[in-house]
């Protein structure tokens, strides 16, 4: 028989694993009498947890969203995970949550035991944020889309694609994927009768939630794999930059993510990088920063930009006596 406090934790844990529990089934899982379970539910309600009870043949218990936050019960590893997430969020790519993330982190640290505060302090000093390179997105937009994915609600929004063309989309959202540089929404687009990916920083205004829809199996069986494949397709559309890198594909794949470029093996010592030419100045920067020998095959404009950059570096070294 579990102690009363341990049993309460177990009740909370089980209630959050599914949307509804039949009373007898939950009591059996806990190995307690139904009357004991009812007393535990009453105790949790007194502590602020929003638990709904229903009677009848289909009666039981369900964890419902409340009007205020109840106490959070976290073990050591969960508390550290939350602290790390809040620290990263305070300097991440989602705008509008930086200050609230810091406030939440301070509150969390105040209730931590000393041993955890030391570990959190060590993490805080070790995690050094760098300047953001990618676009930021609005936290409310991300939250709206995440809710629509969870609740299987159609969502409408204005969208501007890679070429700057605007459209209004009405889709069935399935999930969100973060590639390390960008956030993507994966959704079924009824107008195209196919799956589509949308870069969330290109969503204009506030998305509008609509009616429920029947869920579909995820594309490719895995959302991250699907987004990676979709990004490879983007790299192969329109004008491309084709650059031979003097390193094996498996080596460069550790540095160049699929969302940035497609890599194709040439031989044991070289690979071909394919990417879009929408931002040539950024491409020049990254090619120079890779610290890898390379040969530009196309486009000619990229060769010209690199030649100008090389001349600029040469003039700088000459002025400095290098």
């Amino acid at each position: 028989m579990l102690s009363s406090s341990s049993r309460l934790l177990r009740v909370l844990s089980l209630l959050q694993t599914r949307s509804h529990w039949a009373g007898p089934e939950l009591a059996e899982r806990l190995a307690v009498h139904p009357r004991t379970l009812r007393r535990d539910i009453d105790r949790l309600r007194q502590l602020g947890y929003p638990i709904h009870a229903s009677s009848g043949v289909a009666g039981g218990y369900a964890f419902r969203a409340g009007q205020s936050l109840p106490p959070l019960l976290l073990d050591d590893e969960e508390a550290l995970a939350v602290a790390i997430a809040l620290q990263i969020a305070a300097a991440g790519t989602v705008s509008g949550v930086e200050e609230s993330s810091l406030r939440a982190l301070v509150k969390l640290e105040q209730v931590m035991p000393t041993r955890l505060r030391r570990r959190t302090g060590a993490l805080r000093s070790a995690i050094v944020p760098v300047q953001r390179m990618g676009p930021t997105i609005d936290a409310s937009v991300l939250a709206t889309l995440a809710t629509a994915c969870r609740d299987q609600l159609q969502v409408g929004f204005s969208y501007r694609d890679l070429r700057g063309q605007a459209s209004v989309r009405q889709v069935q959202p399935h999930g969100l994927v973060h590639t390390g540089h960008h956030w993507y929404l994966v959704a079924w687009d009824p107008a195209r009768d196919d799956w589509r990916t949308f870069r969330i920083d290109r969503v204009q205004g506030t998305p509008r939630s609509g009616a429920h829809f029947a869920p579909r199996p995820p594309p490719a069986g895995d959302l991250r794999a699907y987004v990676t494949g979709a990004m490879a397709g983007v790299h192969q559309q329109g004008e491309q930059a084709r650059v031979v890198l003097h390193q094996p594909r498996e080596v460069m794949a550790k540095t160049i993510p699929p969302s940035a470029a497609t890599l194709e093996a040439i031989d044991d010592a070289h690979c071909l990088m394919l990417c879009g030419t929408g931002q040539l100045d950024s491409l020049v920067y990254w090619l120079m920063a890779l610290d890898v020998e390379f040969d530009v095959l196309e486009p000619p404009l990229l060769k010209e930009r690199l030649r100008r950059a090389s001349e600029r570096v040469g003039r700088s070294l000459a002025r400095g006596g290098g």
Side-chain angles (χ1 to χ4, degrees):
M1 177 69 68
L2 294 172
S3 67
S4 177
S5 57
S6 298
R7 195 172 61 247
L8 290 180
L9 289 174
R10 178 66 173 155
V11 172
L12 275 177
S13 177
L14 289 173
L15 284 173
Q16 295 177 75
T17 60
R18 63 169 74 168
S19 59
H20 181 270
W21 279 90
E25 182 185 6
L26 185 57
E28 182 180 358
R29 178 68 70 88
L30 293 163
V32 299
H33 193 277
R35 285 195 300 271
T36 302
L37 175 59
R38 286 195 291 271
R39 287 196 296 269
D40 289 343
I41 295 295
D42 288 340
R43 177 57 179 155
L44 289 171
R45 286 170 169 170
Q46 292 172 4
L47 292 172
Y49 291 96
I51 301 172
H52 174 74
S54 57
S55 57
V57 177
Y61 303 100
F63 200 90
R64 295 284 186 260
Q67 296 180 343
S68 60
L69 285 172
L72 293 176
L73 301 174
L74 304 173
D75 61 27
D76 286 8
E77 298 307 317
E78 289 171 340
L80 283 174
V82 172
I84 294 172
L86 290 171
Q87 177 75 19
I88 294 173
T93 58
V94 180
S95 64
V97 298
E98 300 91 344
E99 183 181 351
S100 56
S101 297
L102 287 173
R103 290 200 308 267
L105 182 59
V106 170
K107 291 179 180 179
L108 180 63
E109 290 181 346
Q110 286 177 339
V111 298
M112 279 184 174
T114 303
R115 66 181 185 280
L116 286 185
R117 280 202 301 273
R118 289 199 204 96
R119 295 175 67 183
T120 303
L123 287 169
R124 183 198 294 274
S125 62
I127 298 176
V128 180
V130 298
Q131 183 179 3
R132 297 172 182 163
M133 299 300 294
T136 60
I137 61 174
D138 187 88
S140 62
V141 172
L142 193 65
T144 299
L145 293 174
T147 301
C149 292
R150 182 197 64 190
D151 297 340
Q152 297 166 1
L153 297 173
Q154 296 183 41
V155 66
F157 52 84
S158 298
Y159 189 72
R160 190 170 297 277
D161 65 16
L162 180 64
R163 296 180 294 276
Q165 296 180 349
S167 62
V168 177
R169 315 302 286 268
Q170 187 75 26
V171 300
Q172 299 172 358
H174 188 86
L176 304 174
V177 175
H178 187 231
T179 64
H181 297 274
H182 302 289
W183 283 92
Y184 291 89
L185 169 69
V186 179
W188 177 264
D189 190 337
R192 276 75 173 175
D193 195 31
D194 199 1
W195 291 97
R196 289 290 187 269
T197 60
F198 301 92
R199 253 181 56 176
I200 297 179
D201 59 286
R202 293 182 180 145
V203 172
Q204 309 291 306
T206 302
R208 303 166 299 281
S209 298
H212 286 274
F213 63 88
R216 299 171 181 268
D222 177 76
L223 292 187
R224 185 172 293 276
Y226 177 75
V227 170
T228 299
M231 293 306 98
V234 169
H235 302 323
Q236 297 169 8
Q237 295 175 1
E239 185 178 16
Q240 288 182 303
R242 295 165 53 86
V243 182
V244 174
L245 303 177
H246 293 218
Q247 283 289 344
R249 182 190 181 282
E250 57 269 22
V251 173
M252 298 312 303
K254 298 176 182 178
T255 304
I256 302 174
S259 59
T262 299
L263 298 174
E264 298 179 357
I266 298 177
D267 53 36
D268 292 340
H270 301 81
C271 66
L272 177 66
M273 183 181 76
L274 304 171
C275 62
T277 59
Q279 296 179 319
L280 282 180
D281 289 334
S282 296
L283 183 54
V284 168
Y285 169 81
W286 287 114
L287 283 172
M288 300 299 292
L290 280 176
D291 195 26
V292 172
E293 294 293 321
F294 60 87
D295 303 313
V296 175
L297 303 182
E298 55 184 355
L301 187 55
L302 176 57
K303 297 180 181 181
E304 176 63 19
R305 295 287 180 90
L306 283 165
R307 184 186 62 78
R308 293 179 186 175
S310 176
E311 292 174 351
R312 198 159 54 244
V313 171
R315 290 193 298 269
S316 175
L317 290 174
R319 288 194 299 269

